[in-house]
Amino acid sequence: MKKISVIILVLSIFSYCKSKKTSTSTPAVKATAINVPSDKELAVAKKIWPTATIDELNEGHKIFYNQCTQCHQAFNIPGFSERKWKHEIDDMSPKAQLTAEQKDKLTKYILSFREANTPAKTN
């Protein structure tokens, strides 16, 4: 009986998250003042992706704060390694129904923000 209750709970959460995703376009940003990309993040992004633009980073920001947070909290970007973020983005993009272009923008935003805002290690 307990196992059935857990399965029903998991399915309810999954269907709730799926029902919230009605559009593939990125809606207006809910949290506009949090972790907004700046020239600092753009400079980092351009080292990795020379053609990166501030508009792409802003779109990645919107995706992170609108689509990624529909089912869970916005995680502390510098709190995860680059490797961990790449894994999470690869794993979660299909669940969030991101297009390849949206996934690319999200990756650029997260990795450039992480690099630009991770505190330097001290000895």
Side-chain angles (χ1 to χ4, degrees), residues 12-21 30 64-75 92 95-96:
S12 297
I13 292 170
F14 180 73
S15 77
Y16 171 76
C17 290
K18 291 289 269 186
S19 69
K20 301 266 291 175
K21 294 171 180 58
K30 290 188 285 188
F64 184 70
Y65 283 99
N66 290 319
Q67 290 176 257
C68 297
T69 60
Q70 284 187 0
C71 294
H72 57 74
Q73 69 182 1
F75 294 104
M92 296 303 294
K95 294 173 186 174

Side-chain angles (χ1 to χ4, degrees), residues 85-102:
W85 273 119
K86 286 179 178 179
H87 171 77
E88 291 302 319
I89 293 168
D90 284 344
D91 188 48
M92 296 303 294
S93 290
K95 294 173 186 174
Q97 299 176 346
L98 298 184
T99 66
E101 183 180 1
Q102 289 172 316

Side-chain angles (χ1 to χ4, degrees), residues 40-103:
K40 181 173 144 182
E41 287 79 18
L42 182 59
V44 170
K46 284 191 172 286
K47 289 179 186 175
I48 304 165
W49 306 279
T51 60
T53 66
I54 196 71
D55 289 338
E56 287 179 309
L57 298 182
N58 283 324
E59 283 296 314
H61 174 265
K62 290 177 188 177
I63 293 164
F64 184 70
Y65 283 99
N66 290 319
Q67 290 176 257
C68 297
T69 60
Q70 284 187 0
C71 294
H72 57 74
Q73 69 182 1
F75 294 104
N76 177 22
I77 295 172
F80 291 127
S81 68
E82 180 178 331
R83 182 177 178 193
K84 175 73 171 164
W85 273 119
K86 286 179 178 179
H87 171 77
E88 291 302 319
I89 293 168
D90 284 344
D91 188 48
M92 296 303 294
S93 290
K95 294 173 186 174
Q97 299 176 346
L98 298 184
T99 66
E101 183 180 1
Q102 289 172 316
K103 180 181 173 186

